[in-house]
Amino acid sequence: MASWRDSVSQAAQDDLDQLLNLALPFAEQCLTKYGEFFPFSIAIGVDGEPIFIATESSMEEQPQSNDVIAESYEALAAQRDSIRAAVVVSDVRLREQDSDAVYIATEHAEGLGLGLYQPYTLVPGGDVELGDMSLVAGERVIWPEG
Protein backbone atom coordinates (compact mmCIF):
# COMPACT_ATOMS: atom_id res chain seq x y z
CA MET A 1 0.00 0.00 0.00
CA ALA A 2 1.36 3.41 -0.96
CA SER A 3 2.10 5.93 1.76
CA TRP A 4 0.75 9.47 1.67
CA ARG A 5 4.40 10.50 1.54
CA ASP A 6 4.64 9.00 -1.96
CA SER A 7 2.10 11.52 -3.29
CA VAL A 8 3.75 14.79 -2.19
CA SER A 9 7.13 16.48 -2.36
CA GLN A 10 9.77 16.28 0.36
CA ALA A 11 9.03 19.94 1.15
CA ALA A 12 5.34 19.11 1.80
CA GLN A 13 6.35 16.16 3.98
CA ASP A 14 8.65 18.45 5.96
CA ASP A 15 5.88 21.06 6.37
CA LEU A 16 3.43 18.49 7.70
CA ASP A 17 6.04 16.93 9.97
CA GLN A 18 6.83 20.38 11.37
CA LEU A 19 3.14 21.05 12.02
CA LEU A 20 2.67 17.70 13.76
CA ASN A 21 5.77 18.33 15.87
CA LEU A 22 4.21 21.61 17.02
CA ALA A 23 0.59 20.53 17.36
CA LEU A 24 0.79 17.22 19.18
CA PRO A 25 3.12 18.34 22.01
CA PHE A 26 1.02 21.48 22.55
CA ALA A 27 -2.19 19.42 22.76
CA GLU A 28 -0.47 16.98 25.13
CA GLN A 29 0.78 19.87 27.28
CA CYS A 30 -2.76 21.28 27.55
CA LEU A 31 -4.17 17.85 28.39
CA THR A 32 -1.56 17.38 31.11
CA LYS A 33 -2.18 20.82 32.60
CA TYR A 34 -5.96 21.20 32.13
CA GLY A 35 -7.30 17.75 31.23
CA GLU A 36 -8.69 19.19 27.98
CA PHE A 37 -7.97 21.72 25.26
CA PHE A 38 -9.92 23.97 22.95
CA PRO A 39 -9.43 23.64 19.19
CA PHE A 40 -6.46 25.47 17.73
CA SER A 41 -4.78 25.86 14.36
CA ILE A 42 -1.28 26.36 13.07
CA ALA A 43 -0.08 27.11 9.54
CA ILE A 44 3.25 27.17 7.75
CA GLY A 45 3.73 30.43 5.88
CA VAL A 46 5.20 30.56 2.40
CA ASP A 47 8.45 31.59 4.13
CA GLY A 48 8.47 28.28 6.04
CA GLU A 49 7.72 29.84 9.42
CA PRO A 50 4.90 28.57 11.68
CA ILE A 51 1.92 30.84 12.27
CA PHE A 52 -0.42 30.25 15.21
CA ILE A 53 -3.94 31.29 14.21
CA ALA A 54 -6.19 33.06 16.71
CA THR A 55 -9.93 33.35 16.10
CA GLU A 56 -12.49 35.57 17.73
CA SER A 57 -14.16 32.63 19.48
CA SER A 58 -10.84 31.25 20.72
CA MET A 59 -10.41 34.41 22.80
CA GLU A 60 -13.55 33.65 24.81
CA GLU A 61 -13.27 31.97 28.19
CA GLN A 62 -15.43 28.97 27.21
CA PRO A 63 -15.57 28.96 23.41
CA GLN A 64 -17.80 26.58 21.50
CA SER A 65 -15.50 24.08 19.78
CA ASN A 66 -17.51 24.04 16.55
CA ASP A 67 -17.29 27.85 16.35
CA VAL A 68 -13.51 27.84 16.85
CA ILE A 69 -13.06 25.12 14.22
CA ALA A 70 -15.27 26.92 11.67
CA GLU A 71 -13.53 30.26 12.29
CA SER A 72 -10.12 28.55 12.02
CA TYR A 73 -10.98 27.20 8.59
CA GLU A 74 -12.32 30.60 7.51
CA ALA A 75 -9.12 32.32 8.67
CA LEU A 76 -6.89 29.72 7.01
CA ALA A 77 -8.83 29.82 3.73
CA ALA A 78 -8.58 33.62 3.72
CA GLN A 79 -4.79 33.28 4.04
CA ARG A 80 -4.34 30.37 1.61
CA ASP A 81 -2.18 32.47 -0.74
CA SER A 82 0.31 33.26 2.05
CA ILE A 83 0.46 29.81 3.66
CA ARG A 84 1.42 26.43 2.30
CA ALA A 85 0.23 23.98 5.00
CA ALA A 86 -2.07 23.99 8.00
CA VAL A 87 -3.54 21.90 10.79
CA VAL A 88 -6.73 22.30 12.78
CA VAL A 89 -6.51 20.39 16.05
CA SER A 90 -9.43 19.33 18.22
CA ASP A 91 -10.24 17.09 21.17
CA VAL A 92 -12.67 14.37 20.05
CA ARG A 93 -14.34 11.25 21.36
CA LEU A 94 -13.90 7.98 19.45
CA ARG A 95 -17.10 6.16 20.31
CA GLU A 96 -16.16 2.90 18.57
CA GLN A 97 -12.94 2.73 20.63
CA ASP A 98 -14.47 4.25 23.77
CA SER A 99 -11.53 6.65 23.86
CA ASP A 100 -10.71 10.32 23.67
CA ALA A 101 -8.33 11.46 20.93
CA VAL A 102 -6.49 14.42 19.57
CA TYR A 103 -7.72 14.88 15.99
CA ILE A 104 -5.32 16.68 13.68
CA ALA A 105 -6.82 17.71 10.34
CA THR A 106 -3.92 18.45 7.99
CA GLU A 107 -3.89 20.13 4.62
CA HIS A 108 -1.17 21.14 2.20
CA ALA A 109 -1.32 23.45 -0.79
CA GLU A 110 0.02 20.59 -2.94
CA GLY A 111 -3.43 19.02 -2.63
CA LEU A 112 -3.05 16.71 0.35
CA GLY A 113 -5.67 16.35 3.07
CA LEU A 114 -5.16 13.88 5.94
CA GLY A 115 -6.72 13.27 9.31
CA LEU A 116 -4.76 11.84 12.22
CA TYR A 117 -6.30 10.45 15.39
CA GLN A 118 -4.03 10.20 18.43
CA PRO A 119 -5.97 8.36 21.17
CA TYR A 120 -5.09 9.33 24.72
CA THR A 121 -5.93 8.49 28.31
CA LEU A 122 -5.57 10.85 31.23
CA VAL A 123 -3.85 8.96 34.03
CA PRO A 124 -3.68 9.85 37.74
CA GLY A 125 -1.08 12.48 38.49
CA GLY A 126 -1.92 14.53 35.41
CA ASP A 127 0.02 12.50 32.88
CA VAL A 128 -1.23 11.60 29.41
CA GLU A 129 -0.83 8.11 27.98
CA LEU A 130 -0.88 8.04 24.18
CA GLY A 131 -2.27 5.18 22.10
CA ASP A 132 -1.51 4.21 18.52
CA MET A 133 -2.03 6.98 15.99
CA SER A 134 -4.27 6.25 13.02
CA LEU A 135 -4.46 7.96 9.68
CA VAL A 136 -7.61 8.62 7.63
CA ALA A 137 -8.40 10.49 4.44
CA GLY A 138 -8.95 14.14 5.20
CA GLU A 139 -11.21 16.77 3.79
CA ARG A 140 -9.71 19.61 1.80
CA VAL A 141 -11.31 22.84 3.01
CA ILE A 142 -8.50 25.40 2.76
CA TRP A 143 -7.39 24.29 -0.70
CA PRO A 144 -10.50 22.55 -2.10
CA GLU A 145 -10.19 20.15 -4.99
CA GLY A 146 -10.60 21.41 -8.51
Side-chain angles (χ1 to χ4, degrees), residues 19-38:
L19 286 169
L20 291 175
N21 288 331
L22 291 168
L24 193 54
F26 181 69
E28 189 174 351
Q29 177 185 353
C30 291
L31 289 167
T32 299
K33 188 170 184 177
Y34 305 111
E36 66 179 351
F37 68 90
F38 294 110

Side-chain angles (χ1 to χ4, degrees), residues 112-146:
L112 180 69
L114 295 172
L116 296 114
Y117 287 99
Q118 175 67 74
Y120 71 85
T121 304
L122 298 175
V123 295
D127 288 333
V128 177
E129 185 177 288
L130 300 177
D132 293 331
M133 186 179 284
S134 61
L135 183 68
V136 296
E139 191 175 349
R140 290 175 41 199
V141 178
I142 303 162
W143 295 277
E145 294 185 52

Side-chain angles (χ1 to χ4, degrees), residues 101-118:
V102 176
Y103 179 64
I104 304 172
T106 68
E107 284 190 62
H108 198 280
E110 287 187 14
L112 180 69
L114 295 172
L116 296 114
Y117 287 99
Q118 175 67 74

